[in-house]
Amino acid sequence: MANDTEDKKHFPTKEQILEFIDMSPTPVGKREIARAFNIKGGGKIALKKILKEMNIGGDVVRGRKKFDKPGRLPPVEVLEIIGTDDEGEVLARPNVWKEDYEPPVIYVKMIRRGGPSAPGVGDKILAKLRYTGKQTYEASIMRVLGSGPQRVLGIFRPNEREGRVVPTDRKDSGEVAVPLDDHPGLETGSLVLTEILPGKHFGLRKGRITEVLGNINEPKSISLVSIHARGIPFEFPPEVELQARDSKATPMAKRTDLRDIPLVTIDGADARDFDDAVWAEVDTDPENEGGWHIMVAIADVSWYVRPNDALDREAVKRGNSCYFPDRVVPMLPFELSNGWCSLVPHEDRGCMAVEMWLNKHGTKIRHKFCRGMMRSAARLTYDQVQRAMDGFPDETTAPLVETIVKPLYGAYEAFLEARRGRGVLELDIPERKIELNDQGQIIAIAPRARFDSHKLIEEFMVAANVCAAEELERIKQPCMYRIHDAPSEEKLEALREFLEGAGYTLNKAAVLRPRDFNQILAKAKDTPESELINTVVLRSQSQAMYSPDNIGHFGLALNKYAHFTSPIRRYADLLVHRALIAGLKLGEGGLPPEEGERFEQIGEDISGTERRAAMAERDAVDRYVAAYMADKVGAEFPGRISGVTHFGLFVSLQETGADGLIPISTLPDDYYVHDAIGHSLVGQNRGKTFRLGDDVVVRIAEADATTGSLALRLAGHADVTERDLIEQPRARRGQNRLRGRSPGDRSHRHGSKPGFRANPKDNSSASGGGPRDGKPAVGAATGKKKTTPKKQRKLVASSRVARKTTKRED
C-alpha cells in the first residue's frame, strides 16, 4: 500500500507530461514518457489512460506509437472530401498530410445558394478553416477543384456510343463513361474495376476498364462487390498456396496423448472449419464435491504457421477470416483451415489444450495447458446437441447423451452461476440469418436460432480465453489482450438523456458496472421498447480491440481476457498460442523473444482488419437483403423507427430486419423539426411526431442490390415530386424545402433535388443521387445550420440499429 501511495505521489500531472512532450525535439512514445518519470508496473496502465484522455481532449495527438503537440491547420487549405459521419455531416481531410498522427476532424459547411457546386467523395476543395476545439475544424468551401476517386468498382451498362459504369458504392452516385472498344462484347451487368482518367472532363467522368470480375446478376457477385469495395485480400499468393499444400500431419513427438478423451466439436450446421473441441466430467476429487473437470482443445495452427514465413505474412495482412452468406474468405488456405487445422472426427490432430477444474459454483480452482494430440469423437451441431439434451437424440447423439452431452450441460450450469455473480452485460439483440439455395439465391431471411448449446460453447471458450491471459501473465510472456473499455462519459451522458426520456433512470455512480445496465435491460424486458433499449445500450458501449496493455474487458466483467480459441480465423489467437508455447517450452513454433516489441502495432493493425471485415460483412448483408426485396417494390411491411435524423427516419422491417430510409421530404406535409434529445421529428403545424421506436407501416420504394440501398415511404402517402413542389404556393413550398431546419437557414438549396442520396452511416440505405458532372453531391442536402454539437451526433449515433455477425465470444 505504501508503494502505491508513493507511486501516486510522484505520478506526473498532465501539465508535466505536456511540458516533457513540448521540450522533446521529436515525438515521444509511452515508453519514453514512462522512463522519464520513472513509471513502472501498474503505473503504466494509468499513464496510458491519461494519454488517451489527453488525445481525446486534443491536448496531444497520437501517431504510430508516438505522441506530439497538436498542430494547427492554416486558415486556407486544400482538402479532400472523404465521406460523411454517422449523422450525414460531410467530412474532409487535408490533401497533403505528412504527420505521423491522424489529421484533425474537419466538417464541411453546407453549401449555400450562389456558392460553389456540390463536391463528391474524393473531390479536392479549397476551403477556409475555423478551429472549433478538440482537434475539430469547420471548413467553408471557396472552390471545388475536382479530382475524384482514382478507381471505381461498378456495373457496366452499354449504350450506342459508349459504355457506362455505375458505381457500387452508394456514396458515389456519379457514373463513369468508358469506351466500348476496350472490351468488345462485354455484357450488360458485368462487374468491373475502372480507372479514372486524369484531366477535366465535361459531363461524366472518363475512365477505362482495367479488370472484369464477373456479372452482377450472378448470386456470387453480391459478396464479391463487398470484398473488392473494402479491399479484403481474397487470393493467396503462390508461395502461400505452395507452403499450405506441402503441409503434412502433425507428428506426435513430445505431445500429450489426448486421443482417449472423447472431445467433440459443436458448430453451426453450415460451419466450414472446426477448430475447437470440448469435454466435461464430474470432478472425482472428494475435496471438490459437485465440481467439474473440463477440457477445451484448439487446433495447433502454430505448428504450421511459423513466425515470418509466407503463411504468417499473409495471415497478419488479413488479420482474420471474413464470413459472408455464400462464402468464407479465410485467413489461412483451404489445406489448413479445412484440412490439417480442422478437428475433423476420428482423425488425429495436433492441438493446444487447457484443462480446468471448477467448483460447483463455476469458479475456476486451477488450470493446466498442454500441447497434445487429439481425436475428435464426433462433429455435432448446435441443433443436434440441443435436441439431444431436450430428449430427442438422433443416431449420432443417442450414444453420447449420458457420457458427453449431459456432463457438458452440467458444467455449463456451473458457468452460468459464475456469470450471473460476475454481472456480465446481458444484451438481447435478435440476429437474422440469410438462407440461400444451391444456386446461391436468397430464399429467406429468418431469425437466427439461439439455443443453450450456443451459450454452452461460448462459456467454455470464454473460460479458456481467461486461462490463456492468466497463464501468460504468470509465465511473464507478452500477451495480446482482448480489451473492452467502459463507455465514455460523453456516451453515458447521451444514453442517460435518452433513457430519461423513455422513463428509465441510469445510475449516476462515478464508476458504472455492467450490472447497472442490466437493471435497465431487466426493466425493459417484455415491453414494446425492449429491443430499442437493448440497441441503444449496445451503441453506447466502447469498441473492443486488441492490445498488449491490459485494461480488462468491461462487457464480460473480466480483469484479464485474451483470444485463444480460434487461431484458424484470428491472428491474435495465433500470437497467444505462440507465447504459451515459448513460455511453457512446448516445442517448435513459439514466439520469438523480440516479437513482443511489435505487439502494440500488430494489435492496432488487426483491430483495423477486424473492423474492415465487419463492414464488408454488413455491406454484403445489405446487398443480399436489397436483392431479396427487389421483387417486393410497392409492397407494404410493418417496421419500427430505428433512427431519427434531421434528414429523415431509419426504419427496420420486422419481417427481415432490413433497414431503409424514409427521407424527410416524403413525410406527411408539415414543417418538421429534429428533436435530438427526444429522438423525434416533430411537425410544427399539425403536431405529427415520429419518435425512435415507433411502429410504422412502410412501402418499399426502391431496392438496389448493387449498392445495398433500400428506400422506404410511409404507407398511405404518395411520393412528393418536384412537380408537387413547383405547384405548391410559395410559402408552403418553402416549408417543404426547409423541413427539419431553422427558418433562416437556406443552405439546403443546392441539395434539394429529388432522389438525394443520404448516407448517414456506413451501412445505411437511401435512394438516388445529386450529381454534379457525374459526382455525388455528398451531404449537400442535409442543409442544417452547422452547430456540430458532439452530444447530438452521439445521440443520433446511439439510435442506430446494431448489426452483429455471429460470434462465439466478443
Side-chain angles (χ1 to χ4, degrees), residues 431 450 458 482 569 610 614 805-810:
E431 296 181 24
R450 183 159 171 78
E458 287 173 3
R482 180 65 167 179
R569 61 186 178 93
E610 179 185 47
T805 54
T806 301
K807 294 182 180 178
R808 288 186 167 179
E809 69 280 336
D810 160 49

Side-chain angles (χ1 to χ4, degrees), residues 393-506:
D394 57 21
E395 291 182 3
T396 303
T397 55
L400 308 177
V401 171
E402 296 298 327
T403 58
I404 293 178
V405 175
K406 286 187 177 181
L408 286 173
Y409 274 84
Y412 164 62
E413 289 297 331
F415 273 133
L416 272 187
E417 184 177 344
R419 179 187 177 96
R420 286 189 289 266
R422 235 173 40 236
V424 178
L425 184 59
E426 301 288 1
L427 289 165
D428 183 18
I429 306 290
E431 296 181 24
R432 287 173 174 83
K433 178 183 177 183
I434 293 178
E435 297 179 4
L436 306 176
N437 61 19
D438 293 339
Q439 289 74 45
Q441 298 167 327
I442 188 166
I443 55 176
I445 302 174
R448 186 180 292 275
R450 183 159 171 78
F451 306 121
D452 281 348
S453 54
H454 290 89
K455 300 173 186 177
L456 180 156
I457 290 297
E458 287 173 3
E459 289 304 316
F460 273 66
M461 298 302 115
V462 167
N465 288 335
V466 171
C467 290
E470 291 177 347
E471 188 72 3
L472 288 178
E473 287 193 8
R474 185 187 71 82
I475 59 179
K476 295 180 172 52
Q477 279 288 309
C479 180
M480 185 63 76
Y481 294 97
R482 180 65 167 179
I483 61 173
H484 182 222
D485 206 352
S488 67
E489 285 301 320
E490 193 174 55
K491 287 186 175 182
L492 287 176
E493 182 184 354
L495 178 62
R496 283 193 182 98
E497 291 186 27
F498 170 76
L499 290 174
E500 286 173 6
Y504 297 87
T505 302
L506 180 63

Side-chain angles (χ1 to χ4, degrees), residues 262-273:
L263 289 148
V264 296
T265 62
I266 305 175
D267 297 272
D270 56 352
R272 299 164 174 90
D273 50 49

